[in-house]
Amino acid sequence: MCDDIYTCFYQLGVEELEIINIDNVNFTYPDGNKKALKNINLKVNEGEFILIAGPSGCGKSTLIRLLNRIIPDYYGGTLEGNVYINNKDIDDFKKDEIVTNVGMVYQHPEKQIVLQDVEREIAFGLENLNKDINFMKRNVSEVMSLLSLNGIKEKQTDEISGGQKQRVAIASVLAMNPDILLFDEPISQLDPINGEEVLNSIKRLNVDMGKTIILVEQRLDKCFHMADRIIFMENGEIIEEGTSTNIPKSINKKYHLPNIAYVFRQAQNSKLPITVKEGRDAIKDIEFKNIEKDEKNFSNKVLKVDKVNFEYERGSKTLKNINFDLGKGEIMAVMGENGAGKSTLFKIMAGIIEDYKGKIIVDEKNLKKVQYK
Ligand SMILES: Nc1ncnc2c1ncn2[C@@H]1O[C@H](COP(=O)(O)OP(=O)(O)OP(=O)(O)O)[C@@H](O)[C@H]1O
Ligand SMILES: [Mg+2]
């Protein structure tokens, strides 16, 4: 009769279930002189994956804070309109009921992790809800498998990578089994590989477990194609919505589009590639002419880093034999995975860490002799 259960439901005319309804919301922070949210109307169906895109300060975080009621419970402010979760006014939820319906994962995993032990950290929220020990064990072990965390079961939370920390933070939220998961820039502190790992986990929670996901992210290249629907915000308002294959014509700003789609939109191309692969396919027949390589000559060296070595603890070898020169006006990118030593190198160059080995010459002076005013 029909191929799968969803097609069956569809053919039987079962309506999709509305899990979130933000109805005519306006919001102003206590010390705010303008509305952070204006006329917000948004309905989300159970199992949808929504991405919210928009420039810094447009109200993305504010919008999702409505959904676990930290606006207004924690932030205060003036809120007009209504928010419904599972057709029930969020004002009528008890505090415990909110955390078991809606979970939020933030930008900095460090700030969410409170305990040393990975397993205990994941069980922490459940402990606070006074759940039965067997129930806790079962939930924790389930979410650990789901997020591929069994390999770090025995580890301490301060000895795992940024990506693993973020997955532990997701696991502790997930252990409470909420239907709705909110993510506020969950990969912005992670390197590309760890970030991708976390995004894949988020996608799995949506596809395999049917969780409703609302993701706020500025790195659109990595997640645009994952979402069922994209909400575009500006100045506290929802200005448009679309899908990765159907982006409204008016959406042409860099902060609303993946880089590759932005380039094609600027070129007034009607079909917008979203991923690098699609971009590669789209340009394969185009002949590039007159693109000259902009090679500048940076002979005037203003910075010389010579055989720099540094370790926080004996034997940790954080920086090993770093050598490079930088010319006046030159722009250099420092790349590397989480924990590779990028920030340590910057701290050394800024004179914050002084007990390094090797030499740093700034404007022909040894950095150790440079006086910072
Ligand atoms: N705690 C706060 N108190 C007062 N005003 C705030 C607070 N948090 C945000 N705002 C203001 O509300 C507006 C929306 O900010 P919000 O943080 O929601 O934007 P955002 O889109 O999440 O930005 P970003 O991409 O930088 O995280 C901005 O004008 C901001 O200055
Ligand atoms: Mg934000």
Side-chain angles (χ1 to χ4, degrees):
M1 190 179 108
C2 41
D3 294 340
D4 58 52
I5 192 158
Y6 294 106
T7 328
C8 273
F9 277 146
Y10 187 72
Q11 287 177 359
L12 289 169
V14 175
E15 274 186 48
E16 283 176 318
L17 294 173
E18 182 183 289
I19 195 165
I20 296 170
N21 179 5
I22 305 181
D23 185 24
N24 245 333
V25 164
N26 286 277
F27 174 73
T28 311
Y29 282 99
D31 50 354
N33 49 12
K34 63 178 179 62
K35 287 182 181 172
L37 292 177
K38 282 180 265 182
N39 306 324
I40 300 289
N41 286 291
L42 178 65
K43 289 181 177 177
V44 178
N45 285 327
E46 196 170 15
E48 258 195 296
F49 188 138
I50 305 277
L51 170 67
I52 302 184
S56 186
C58 74
K60 304 180 294 297
S61 300
T62 307
L63 179 99
I64 60 170
R65 284 174 193 153
L66 294 171
L67 299 173
N68 64 350
R69 222 177 60 195
I70 51 171
I71 284 181
D73 288 4
Y74 174 79
Y75 285 92
T78 316
L79 175 64
E80 293 163 25
N82 292 85
V83 176
Y84 301 93
I85 303 287
N86 279 321
N87 294 311
K88 178 173 161 181
D89 195 319
I90 199 166
D91 288 343
D92 299 333
F93 279 72
K94 295 196 199 83
K95 275 241 155 63
D96 283 7
E97 240 184 310
I98 293 182
V99 291
T100 53
N101 277 279
V102 186
M104 169 101 89
V105 176
Y106 299 87
Q107 202 168 0
H108 300 274
E110 284 84 9
K111 290 194 183 150
Q112 292 181 80
I113 290 176
V114 283
L115 298 174
Q116 278 277 307
D117 184 90
V118 167
E119 251 182 318
R120 287 221 41 216
E121 172 62 37
I122 297 172
F124 186 63
L126 288 173
E127 272 178 36
N128 285 340
L129 294 176
N130 292 322
K131 293 286 181 194
D132 163 75
I133 182 89
N134 288 323
F135 174 87
M136 284 202 306
K137 278 190 177 157
R138 202 177 52 239
N139 270 29
V140 169
S141 120
E142 263 176 33
V143 299
M144 290 194 77
S145 317
L146 241 152
L147 291 162
S148 318
L149 291 169
N150 283 321
I152 56 159
K153 214 174 181 165
E154 312 296 330
K155 294 230 172 168
Q156 302 284 296
T157 48
D158 55 4
E159 51 183 37
I160 56 179
S161 75
Q164 286 167 336
K165 276 186 196 155
Q166 194 58 301
R167 280 186 289 132
V168 168
I170 297 173
S172 47
V173 167
L174 198 63
M176 288 181 273
N177 202 19
D179 293 329
I180 302 168
L181 291 165
L182 313 171
F183 294 91
D184 197 350
E185 303 197 29
I187 62 163
S188 63
Q189 300 298 308
L190 306 178
D191 66 44
I193 292 170
N194 275 300
E196 201 135 346
E197 220 171 68
V198 167
L199 281 178
N200 289 337
S201 300
I202 295 175
K203 184 68 188 168
R204 264 207 316 277
L205 298 177
N206 174 248
V207 175
D208 299 348
M209 295 186 73
K211 299 285 179 194
T212 305
I213 308 276
I214 302 193
L215 171 66
V216 170
E217 199 37 75
Q218 308 222 19
R219 291 188 186 177
L220 299 175
D221 292 349
K222 298 278 178 225
C223 54
F224 212 78
H225 61 287
M226 284 187 176
D228 298 317
R229 191 148 56 106
I230 301 144
I231 305 295
F232 300 99
M233 286 188 75
E234 193 131 23
N235 271 327
E237 287 181 277
I238 294 178
I239 55 158
E240 269 292 4
E241 66 168 73
T243 65
S244 64
T245 50
N246 190 8
I247 304 169
K249 288 254 171 330
S250 60
I251 297 301
N252 57 11
K253 297 279 181 352
K254 208 165 191 252
Y255 47 70
H256 280 143
L257 293 167
N259 286 325
I260 201 136
Y262 174 70
V263 170
F264 276 73
R265 180 122 286 177
Q266 293 309 98
Q268 320 234 302
N269 218 303
S270 58
K271 193 171 179 306
L272 301 188
I274 301 300
T275 59
V276 173
K277 183 178 180 308
E278 285 174 18
R280 212 184 294 129
D281 289 347
I283 58 171
K284 77 174 180 270
D285 298 326
I286 301 175
E287 243 184 89
F288 287 93
K289 292 178 193 144
N290 301 329
I291 297 181
E292 280 170 25
K293 221 172 153 203
D294 186 16
E295 274 185 11
K296 293 183 188 150
N297 180 13
F298 295 107
S299 52
N300 184 5
K301 300 291 176 209
V302 285
L303 176 72
K304 283 184 188 169
V305 174
D306 187 21
K307 295 197 196 78
V308 166
N309 284 274
F310 175 74
E311 45 194 33
Y312 284 101
E313 295 152 27
R314 255 184 100 94
S316 68
K317 297 217 167 95
T318 309
L319 296 180
K320 283 177 268 180
N321 211 19
I322 307 282
N323 296 291
F324 64 86
D325 291 345
L326 200 62
K328 192 174 165 64
E330 192 174 0
I331 297 174
M332 182 181 82
V334 178
M335 295 173 73
E337 60 184 359
N338 290 128
K342 304 178 292 294
S343 301
T344 306
L345 176 64
F346 276 51
K347 281 179 190 155
I348 289 176
M349 293 191 296
I352 299 169
I353 294 176
E354 292 181 325
D355 53 343
Y356 59 89
K357 296 207 173 69
K359 214 189 299 172
I360 298 182
I361 308 291
V362 182
D363 276 337
E364 299 183 354
K365 282 192 213 99
N366 190 333
L367 180 66
K368 287 195 174 160
K369 295 187 182 126
V370 173
Q371 295 283 320
Y372 284 92
K373 286 177 205 124

